[in-house]
Amino acid sequence: MVGLVIVSHSQMLAQGVLELAEQMTRGSVVMEAAGGIDDPDNPIGTDPMKVMMSIESVAAQSEDGVLVIMDLGSALMSAETALDFLPDEVKEKVLLCSAPIVEGTMAAAVQASVGASLKEVSAEAGAALNVKIEQLAPITGETVQTAVPAQEEIQEGEELSIDLLVINKMGLHARPAANLVAEAGKFQSAIRIHKGEKSASAKSINQVALLAVKNGETLTVTATGPDAQQAIDGLKALYADNFGERDEDVAEVVMDTEPCKVGGEGYVHGAPASAGYAVGPVYAHLASLPEVERLEIANIDAEVSRLDQALSTALSDIQSLQRETEKTAGKANAAIFEVHGLILGDKDMRDKAVSVISDEKVNAEFAWFQVMDKMASDYRELDDAYMQARAADVMDCGGRVLRVLTGEGEQAIRLERESIIVAHDLTPSDVAGMDPEKVLGIITETGGATSHAAILSRSMGIPAVIGTGECFQYVSDGQTIALDGFEGTVWTSPDQVKLDEISAKRDQWLAEREEAKAKGAAPAKTVDGTEIMVMGNIGTPADAPRVLEYGAEGVGLFRTEFLFQDRDQEPDEQEQFEAYVEAAKAMNGNPVIIRTLDIGGDKPVKYLDTPVEENPFLGERGVRFCMARPELFRTQLRALLRAASAENIWIMFPMISGVEELEGVLAFQAEVRESLISEGVEIAEKIKTGIMIEVPSAVAEAEKLAAICDFFSIGTNDLTQYVMAADRGNKSVSKICDSLNPAVLRMIKMTCDAASANNIEVGMCGELAGNPKASALLLGLGLDELSMSGPSIPEVKEAIRAVSMDECCALAEKALAARSGDEVRELLK
């Protein structure tokens, strides 16, 4: 992959551009900023030696070369001078690029992230502003060039094919299609999918989705090129894993095919998309796309650059929205926006818009609208209701690009009072941006129960009726209406009798929801009286009241890395102290287990200068990272020790690999404690300190580790990938990375036995803990405590109340004797 060096007179500007580009590429491209000079009194300028060192550093990590992007003036001379000092073998891999520093870096980073050559990355960056290329051509030797078309290249080599019978419940809808595109993108070979007479590039999300592959249909996949066999093998593995989708992940939705009805009783009918009842005033949401005018343009390259920049900005916005949605609706529902990201990253869609710009010499917004509208229309014309609903996704994420190009802001839904939202259609972005406390219900004229907006409504517990037809002609802003999300009925002119009836049903429905929460609040006791602690996992203090609402008896895992991410500098001691105390106070005296900073691997933090490692999951992670940065660790431990002296807080260290490492960490904590005491800070005599068990070596030394700490917490996500030597983020080995594999279960049993022998508690905070089907098994293996996301708590508690410990132990014995994870799953049924 090509790496980038950003040279600017201003260190802050270079660093800011770097951070923006890293957000765009999720850290996949090696980049360094070489800005400013080391003179506090006169920091503006460029330093050839600093540029040279950055180029050498990036070149060492980037096999395909280094692109240097500079602002004007001395930056150019400094870059040229730096080249003169470089060895020839490094110099020949470096290109100086005349692109504008901000726009050029964004374009270059995106192009580099997809594996483009140095020449292609330079061309993409250079197309950002041809005026600058003309000004700098005498220095760089470049000529005016436009971005290399991102079209599928004809590959030479063997052609292999495979037939696949699609058994996914809903066919290759957006998410499995996205997994297929991501897998195909790993290979150099040209990969195509054939369905009857139609075919599509397997590297284009829209082309794959528009094939409208249904359950029971057979595809022929062809791969042509130097790594054709590897591509076919990779796609076979993905197919064997059901394209990364589990049947239980796909909700069976019965589509209401009854047409919209309007009668004398004053009601309309639609699809019951989200259960519940609502009575309240209408909030009429009349969303529309920006007005787009067709304009003739003279500079084609400038318009293409505008389009690429808008795509980059929209993609960054979607990634932010995905992170926010994960917090409110869960990771699975937030994956909707991952699909949106793939739609915007689809080279096919982008190239079609570029062709319109070039062929018709028109402005970018007009070209983009034509392509976006045609794509949505193609989805609507499909004969599958689920695929028809994807048109809304194209218009949602495509509309973001259009708004960036036109400068028109989003028409966000801002409620002043509790209301029922009535809209022609709602996008996932609309729903994700709502305040659920003020939304009584949702009604749309179009769409179906499988639309992503409907899915998000269900995840947020908002009653919704979708696809009512022309509902707007019967309601107006502020008018009182009623809806039944169980039957899919909306009363547009309800009399008092109907309002009272639906209000009573709503009260009963809300009472039943509260009853379900009350079940979560009660202790989790087995039939024979063994009480198991069920706790919640949180990422911020604001999450604590939410898990408490579901019945959490404490916090089993507070992931402190969320305090460090999405910001420009690390939180100071006081900020951390206040966050920890806030979470503990929200839990009303119940224990809050706070994990020290766990970054590295798949969780980098930009401003902490996380090293780029060849195998980050086996590199500086958890306490290894923190012990290598003692001042960072010292600040967090000071905040934690102070907070744990004031509230019921336990401290937990991640990624402990053995006794010697833990002894070093405990000695460092003792040193920090003594320092605080010497400053006159009151520190509790005893603060519970434990460790994560997520490394096989820790399991092997569990008895020795148990003798020097107060509790264990098993992290099944990492433990599984290390036991099975299978990256949990790699779809091609996802079936191997199975937490129910007997080898993993044996590791859990060994850990629990060691904890029991030393009379310390042992919990679990990995994904397996939140699976109610596995609750009896985990109790039988010896767990004392389970910690999970809030919504999983009531169901896990119910599962515990339904079994005896004898049954749990018998189940655990059978599971440990099983030969595979699938055999264990059969036992759990």
Side-chain angles (χ1 to χ4, degrees):
M1 187 178 289
V2 172
L4 305 180
V5 171
I6 303 156
V7 182
S8 170
H9 289 69
S10 165
Q11 182 181 12
M12 292 181 65
L13 174 59
Q15 192 62 38
V17 173
L18 173 67
E19 290 181 7
L20 184 59
E22 285 182 333
Q23 289 176 18
M24 292 291 307
T25 59
R26 299 187 180 185
S28 62
V29 178
V30 178
M31 292 182 267
E32 285 198 12
I37 55 177
D38 296 326
D39 181 349
D41 297 324
N42 300 284
I44 299 300
T46 54
D47 182 348
M49 292 299 102
K50 183 184 288 189
V51 176
M52 182 195 71
M53 287 188 289
S54 292
I55 293 174
E56 284 186 317
S57 173
V58 173
Q61 304 170 69
S62 306
E63 295 180 0
D64 297 325
V66 180
L67 188 69
V68 182
I69 304 175
M70 310 144 285
D71 54 20
L72 295 171
S74 68
L76 299 173
M77 292 180 284
S78 293
E80 283 190 299
T81 303
L83 283 183
D84 291 338
F85 284 104
L86 289 169
D88 289 342
E89 63 270 19
V90 176
K91 188 187 300 186
E92 65 186 17
K93 295 171 57 180
V94 181
L95 267 184
L96 303 186
C97 180
S98 52
I101 191 166
V102 179
E103 298 88 341
T105 302
M106 298 307 106
V110 172
Q111 194 70 13
S113 71
V114 299
S117 68
L118 181 58
K119 182 179 177 181
E120 290 169 333
V121 174
S122 179
E124 189 77 15
L129 199 60
N130 277 319
V131 174
K132 193 170 184 182
I133 295 180
E134 293 170 357
Q135 289 176 338
L136 303 179
I139 299 174
T140 65
E142 293 178 69
T143 56
V144 178
Q145 46 189 327
T146 57
V148 176
Q151 297 175 348
E152 190 175 44
E153 296 180 0
I154 298 174
Q155 295 286 345
E156 294 183 0
E158 63 177 334
E159 178 176 303
L160 300 175
S161 67
I162 182 175
D163 291 333
L164 303 176
L165 174 66
V166 176
I167 60 173
N168 297 64
K169 281 184 181 179
M170 305 185 81
L172 284 189
H173 64 94
R175 293 182 197 178
N179 291 337
L180 187 151
V181 171
E183 181 67 22
K186 297 176 182 178
F187 304 101
Q188 185 179 343
S189 295
I191 305 172
R192 295 197 68 78
I193 300 174
H194 307 265
K195 187 187 98 169
E197 296 180 356
K198 296 180 179 179
S199 74
S201 166
K203 299 179 182 181
S204 167
I205 181 66
N206 284 309
Q207 286 191 34
V208 172
L210 284 171
L211 280 181
V213 180
K214 299 178 183 176
N215 174 278
E217 292 185 328
T218 298
L219 298 177
T220 299
V221 180
T222 60
T224 308
D227 54 1
Q229 186 61 60
Q230 295 97 310
I232 289 293
D233 290 344
L235 291 168
K236 272 185 185 178
L238 182 63
Y239 171 74
D241 191 39
N242 211 37
F243 293 102
E245 178 178 72
R246 299 287 176 267
D247 283 348
E248 56 265 29
D249 296 335
V250 184
E252 294 267 17
V253 181
V254 178
M255 296 297 293
D256 193 322
T257 56
E258 187 176 355
C260 173
K261 300 182 294 184
V262 182
E265 297 178 57
Y267 69 89
V268 295
H269 200 69
S274 182
Y277 301 94
V279 172
V282 168
Y283 175 92
H285 179 59
L286 299 169
S288 61
L289 290 171
E291 291 287 334
V292 175
E293 185 179 355
R294 187 183 192 279
L295 300 173
E296 291 189 4
I297 53 97
N299 192 332
I300 292 172
D301 294 321
E303 288 304 300
V304 171
S305 177
R306 286 184 62 230
L307 174 62
D308 286 338
Q309 182 61 37
L311 284 165
S312 296
T313 301
L315 185 59
S316 180
D317 290 344
I318 284 172
Q319 290 166 352
S320 297
L321 189 57
Q322 181 177 353
R323 289 193 293 270
E324 290 303 311
T325 306
E326 281 184 10
K327 297 174 186 176
T328 57
K331 194 167 186 176
N333 290 303
I336 290 166
F337 296 107
E338 190 170 327
V339 175
H340 283 202
L342 281 169
I343 291 173
L344 289 191
D346 190 339
K347 295 178 181 178
D348 180 62
M349 198 168 172
R350 180 260 184 195
D351 288 349
K352 285 178 179 175
V354 170
S355 293
V356 174
I357 293 171
S358 302
D359 296 345
E360 300 183 26
K361 293 184 173 56
V362 292
N363 51 320
E365 44 266 73
F366 180 81
W368 178 255
F369 179 80
Q370 300 304 307
V371 173
M372 175 184 77
D373 193 49
K374 175 64 167 60
M375 185 71 69
S377 178
D378 289 343
Y379 276 109
R380 294 188 193 103
E381 290 174 5
L382 298 174
D383 59 1
D384 179 85
Y386 193 90
M387 296 309 298
Q388 289 171 356
R390 301 290 69 77
D393 295 316
V394 172
M395 297 303 285
D396 184 5
C397 59
R400 283 181 176 277
V401 178
L402 209 57
R403 279 187 279 272
V404 174
L405 286 167
T406 60
E408 185 173 314
E410 286 193 63
Q411 295 173 307
I413 296 174
R414 297 285 183 263
L415 301 181
E416 298 297 325
R417 57 177 176 170
E418 290 186 337
S419 304
I420 296 174
I421 294 173
V422 179
H424 176 67
D425 195 10
L426 286 176
T427 68
S429 303
D430 290 329
V431 179
M434 292 175 181
D435 178 358
E437 298 298 319
K438 292 182 179 178
V439 182
L440 296 171
I442 291 172
I443 301 163
T444 67
E445 295 185 323
T446 62
T450 57
S451 71
H452 283 157
I455 293 169
L456 279 174
S457 299
R458 288 193 290 275
S459 75
M460 297 168 76
I462 300 172
V465 179
I466 306 293
T468 61
E470 297 180 351
C471 186
F472 264 120
Q473 62 181 302
Y474 306 108
V475 301
S476 58
D477 209 42
Q479 175 182 335
T480 300
I481 62 172
L483 73 83
D484 178 345
F486 291 95
E487 297 294 329
T489 304
V490 178
W491 287 270
T492 56
S493 302
D495 56 21
Q496 193 58 50
V497 173
K498 180 57 68 176
L499 289 173
D500 292 343
E501 176 193 337
I502 301 301
S503 294
K505 287 184 175 181
R506 176 175 172 81
D507 291 342
Q508 182 180 351
W509 169 62
L510 291 174
E512 288 170 353
R513 289 212 309 188
E514 290 304 312
E515 185 180 346
K517 288 181 182 177
K519 287 182 179 178
K525 284 187 179 180
T526 61
V527 171
D528 47 0
T530 300
E531 186 167 340
I532 303 297
M533 287 280 286
V534 180
M535 306 171 82
N537 295 341
I538 67 172
T540 68
D543 296 334
R546 297 183 191 132
V547 296
L548 187 65
E549 187 178 336
Y550 282 105
E553 295 155 355
V555 170
L557 172 62
F558 183 160
R559 302 180 179 93
T560 59
E561 55 269 16
F562 285 92
L563 296 174
F564 290 75
Q565 293 172 331
D566 296 326
R567 54 190 298 155
D568 297 326
Q569 59 186 22
E570 67 185 79
D572 62 22
E573 179 184 331
Q574 187 61 23
E575 182 182 350
Q576 291 187 55
F577 168 78
E578 291 172 1
Y580 305 148
V581 168
E582 181 185 345
K585 286 184 180 297
M587 296 309 295
N588 300 326
N590 290 317
V592 174
I593 301 176
I594 300 181
R595 183 178 70 187
T596 59
L597 187 59
D598 184 14
I599 61 173
D602 60 340
K603 295 176 281 189
V605 174
K606 301 175 188 68
Y607 60 84
L608 291 180
D609 189 28
T610 311
V612 177
E613 299 174 301
E614 186 172 338
N615 195 337
F617 285 102
L618 300 181
E620 279 194 344
R621 296 193 65 193
V623 292
R624 303 172 186 177
F625 184 93
C626 290
M627 288 293 281
R629 294 157 181 80
E631 289 312 307
L632 170 76
F633 201 19
R634 188 186 309 278
T635 299
Q636 182 171 39
L637 285 176
R638 284 177 62 92
L640 280 170
L641 290 169
R642 288 172 56 205
S645 301
E647 302 291 340
N648 189 5
I649 288 172
W650 304 0
I651 299 173
M652 180 165 66
F653 299 114
M655 290 297 294
I656 294 292
S657 57
V659 172
E660 185 178 12
E661 186 171 47
L662 178 55
E663 287 176 340
V665 173
L666 292 176
F668 186 77
Q669 178 176 273
E671 177 192 320
V672 175
R673 183 179 185 277
E674 290 305 314
S675 176
L676 283 167
I677 292 172
S678 69
E679 295 171 18
V681 180
E682 284 194 26
I683 301 297
E685 189 65 31
K686 175 62 179 175
I687 294 172
K688 276 200 170 187
T689 302
I691 65 171
M692 295 281 292
I693 299 288
E694 47 198 339
V695 181
S697 60
V699 178
E701 292 199 287
E703 286 210 19
K704 296 176 184 176
L705 290 166
I708 57 173
C709 68
D710 300 315
F711 65 92
F712 287 160
S713 185
I714 301 172
T716 51
N717 299 351
D718 271 326
L719 180 61
T720 300
Q721 76 168 347
Y722 290 131
V723 169
M724 302 308 297
D727 179 359
R728 58 191 169 101
N730 186 336
K731 292 183 175 64
S732 64
V733 293
S734 60
K735 188 170 179 63
I736 301 171
C737 195
D738 183 357
S739 295
L740 290 176
N741 186 287
V744 180
L745 300 182
R746 193 163 295 281
M747 290 280 182
I748 295 171
K749 174 66 172 168
M750 290 168 64
T751 303
C752 292
D753 288 347
S756 177
N758 285 272
N759 295 313
I760 69 168
E761 297 150 300
V762 57
M764 178 181 288
C765 57
E767 190 174 340
L768 186 60
N771 181 354
K773 293 179 182 177
S775 298
L777 169 60
L778 297 178
L779 268 57
L781 292 173
L783 271 298
D784 303 310
E785 171 257 304
L786 301 174
S787 188
M788 64 212 66
S789 63
S792 301
I793 291 172
E795 200 172 353
V796 167
K797 283 192 171 184
E798 284 289 279
I800 292 171
R801 295 180 190 123
V803 295
S804 69
M805 285 305 299
D806 286 343
E807 291 171 327
C808 294
C809 292
L811 175 61
E813 282 187 24
K814 291 178 182 177
L816 290 170
R819 293 179 298 178
S820 67
D822 287 338
E823 274 193 31
V824 174
R825 262 178 282 279
E826 285 299 315
L827 290 171
L828 299 187
K829 289 181 180 178

Coordinates of all heavy atoms in Angstrom, one line a residue, residues 39-72:
D39 N 11.0 25.6 16.7 CA 11.5 26.8 17.3 C 10.2 27.5 18.0 O 9.3 28.0 17.3 CB 12.0 27.8 16.2 CG 12.5 29.1 16.8 OD1 12.2 29.4 17.9 OD2 13.1 29.9 16.0
P40 N 10.1 27.4 19.3 CA 8.9 27.9 20.0 C 8.6 29.3 19.6 O 7.4 29.7 19.6 CB 9.2 27.7 21.5 CG 10.3 26.7 21.5 CD 11.1 26.9 20.2
D41 N 9.6 30.1 19.4 CA 9.3 31.6 19.1 C 8.9 31.8 17.7 O 8.1 32.7 17.4 CB 10.5 32.4 19.4 CG 10.9 32.3 20.9 OD1 10.0 32.3 21.7 OD2 12.1 32.3 21.2
N42 N 9.4 31.0 16.8 CA 9.0 31.1 15.3 C 8.7 29.7 14.8 O 9.5 29.1 14.0 CB 10.2 31.7 14.6 CG 10.5 33.1 15.1 OD1 9.8 34.1 14.8 ND2 11.6 33.2 15.9
P43 N 7.5 29.2 15.1 CA 7.2 27.8 14.7 C 6.8 27.6 13.3 O 6.7 26.5 12.8 CB 6.0 27.4 15.7 CG 5.3 28.8 15.9 CD 6.4 29.8 15.9
I44 N 6.5 28.7 12.6 CA 6.0 28.6 11.2 C 7.2 28.4 10.2 O 8.1 29.2 10.2 CB 5.2 29.8 10.8 CG1 4.0 29.9 11.7 CG2 4.8 29.7 9.3 CD1 3.0 28.7 11.7
G45 N 7.2 27.3 9.5 CA 8.3 27.0 8.5 C 8.3 25.5 8.2 O 7.5 24.8 8.7
T46 N 9.3 25.1 7.5 CA 9.5 23.7 7.2 C 10.9 23.3 7.4 O 11.8 24.1 7.2 CB 9.0 23.4 5.7 OG1 9.8 24.2 4.8 CG2 7.6 23.6 5.5
D47 N 11.1 22.0 7.8 CA 12.4 21.5 8.1 C 12.7 20.3 7.3 O 12.1 19.3 7.4 CB 12.4 21.1 9.6 CG 13.8 20.6 10.1 OD1 14.6 20.4 9.2 OD2 13.9 20.4 11.3
P48 N 13.7 20.5 6.3 CA 14.0 19.3 5.4 C 14.4 18.1 6.2 O 14.0 17.0 5.7 CB 15.2 19.9 4.7 CG 15.1 21.4 4.7 CD 14.5 21.7 6.1
M49 N 15.0 18.2 7.3 CA 15.4 17.0 8.1 C 14.2 16.3 8.6 O 14.1 15.0 8.7 CB 16.4 17.3 9.2 CG 17.7 17.8 8.8 SD 18.6 16.6 7.8 CE 18.4 17.2 6.1
K50 N 13.2 17.1 9.1 CA 12.0 16.5 9.6 C 11.2 15.8 8.5 O 10.7 14.7 8.6 CB 11.1 17.5 10.2 CG 9.8 17.0 10.9 CD 8.9 18.1 11.4 CE 9.5 18.7 12.7 NZ 8.5 19.6 13.3
V51 N 11.2 16.4 7.3 CA 10.6 15.8 6.1 C 11.3 14.5 5.7 O 10.6 13.5 5.5 CB 10.6 16.8 4.9 CG1 10.0 16.1 3.7 CG2 9.8 18.1 5.3
M52 N 12.6 14.5 5.7 CA 13.4 13.4 5.4 C 13.1 12.2 6.3 O 12.9 11.0 5.9 CB 14.9 13.7 5.4 CG 15.8 12.5 5.0 SD 17.5 12.7 5.4 CE 17.4 12.5 7.2
M53 N 13.1 12.5 7.6 CA 12.8 11.4 8.6 C 11.4 10.8 8.4 O 11.2 9.6 8.6 CB 13.0 11.9 10.0 CG 14.5 12.1 10.3 SD 14.8 12.5 12.1 CE 14.1 14.2 12.2
S54 N 10.4 11.7 8.1 CA 9.1 11.2 7.9 C 9.0 10.3 6.7 O 8.3 9.3 6.7 CB 8.1 12.4 7.8 OG 8.0 13.1 9.0
I55 N 9.7 10.7 5.6 CA 9.7 9.9 4.4 C 10.3 8.6 4.6 O 9.8 7.5 4.2 CB 10.4 10.6 3.2 CG1 9.6 11.9 2.8 CG2 10.6 9.7 2.0 CD1 10.4 12.8 1.8
E56 N 11.4 8.5 5.3 CA 12.1 7.3 5.6 C 11.2 6.4 6.5 O 11.1 5.2 6.2 CB 13.4 7.5 6.4 CG 14.5 8.0 5.5 CD 15.8 8.2 6.3 OE1 15.8 8.7 7.4 OE2 16.9 7.8 5.7
S57 N 10.5 7.0 7.5 CA 9.7 6.2 8.3 C 8.5 5.6 7.6 O 8.2 4.4 7.7 CB 9.1 7.1 9.5 OG 8.2 6.4 10.2
V58 N 7.8 6.4 6.7 CA 6.7 5.9 6.0 C 7.2 4.9 4.9 O 6.5 3.8 4.7 CB 5.9 7.0 5.3 CG1 4.9 6.5 4.4 CG2 5.3 7.9 6.4
A59 N 8.3 5.1 4.3 CA 8.8 4.2 3.2 C 9.1 2.9 3.8 O 8.9 1.8 3.1 CB 10.1 4.8 2.6
A60 N 9.6 2.8 5.0 CA 9.9 1.5 5.7 C 8.6 0.7 5.9 O 8.7 -0.5 6.0 CB 10.6 1.8 7.0
Q61 N 7.5 1.3 5.9 CA 6.2 0.6 6.2 C 5.3 0.5 4.9 O 4.3 -0.1 5.0 CB 5.5 1.3 7.3 CG 6.2 1.5 8.6 CD 5.5 2.4 9.5 OE1 4.5 2.0 10.1 NE2 6.1 3.6 9.8
S62 N 5.7 1.1 3.8 CA 4.9 1.2 2.6 C 5.6 0.6 1.4 O 6.4 1.3 0.8 CB 4.4 2.6 2.4 OG 3.8 3.2 3.5
E63 N 5.3 -0.6 1.1 CA 6.0 -1.3 0.0 C 5.8 -0.6 -1.4 O 6.7 -0.7 -2.2 CB 5.6 -2.8 -0.1 CG 5.9 -3.6 1.1 CD 5.5 -5.0 1.0 OE1 4.8 -5.4 -0.1 OE2 5.7 -5.8 1.9
D64 N 4.6 0.0 -1.6 CA 4.3 0.5 -2.9 C 4.7 2.0 -3.1 O 4.4 2.6 -4.1 CB 2.8 0.4 -3.1 CG 2.4 -1.0 -3.1 OD1 3.1 -1.9 -3.6 OD2 1.3 -1.3 -2.6
G65 N 5.5 2.6 -2.1 CA 6.0 3.9 -2.3 C 5.4 4.9 -1.4 O 4.5 4.6 -0.6
V66 N 5.9 6.2 -1.5 CA 5.5 7.3 -0.7 C 5.1 8.5 -1.5 O 5.9 8.9 -2.4 CB 6.6 7.7 0.3 CG1 6.1 8.8 1.2 CG2 7.0 6.5 1.1
L67 N 3.9 9.0 -1.3 CA 3.5 10.3 -1.9 C 3.7 11.4 -0.9 O 3.2 11.3 0.2 CB 2.1 10.2 -2.4 CG 1.6 11.3 -3.3 CD1 2.3 11.3 -4.6 CD2 0.1 11.3 -3.4
V68 N 4.4 12.5 -1.3 CA 4.6 13.6 -0.5 C 3.7 14.8 -1.0 O 3.8 15.2 -2.1 CB 6.1 14.1 -0.5 CG1 6.3 15.3 0.5 CG2 7.0 12.9 -0.1
I69 N 2.8 15.3 -0.1 CA 1.9 16.4 -0.5 C 2.3 17.6 0.3 O 2.4 17.5 1.6 CB 0.4 15.9 -0.2 CG1 0.1 14.7 -0.9 CG2 -0.5 17.0 -0.6 CD1 -1.3 14.1 -0.6
M70 N 2.4 18.7 -0.3 CA 3.0 19.9 0.3 C 2.1 21.1 0.1 O 1.4 21.2 -0.9 CB 4.4 20.2 -0.3 CG 5.3 19.0 -0.3 SD 6.3 19.1 -1.8 CE 5.2 18.6 -3.1
D71 N 2.2 22.1 1.0 CA 1.6 23.4 0.7 C 2.7 24.2 0.0 O 3.8 23.7 -0.3 CB 1.1 24.1 1.9 CG 2.1 24.2 3.1 OD1 3.3 24.1 2.8 OD2 1.6 24.5 4.2
L72 N 2.5 25.4 -0.3 CA 3.3 26.2 -1.2 C 4.6 26.7 -0.5 O 4.8 26.6 0.7 CB 2.5 27.4 -1.8 CG 1.4 27.0 -2.7 CD1 0.5 28.2 -3.0 CD2 1.9 26.3 -4.0

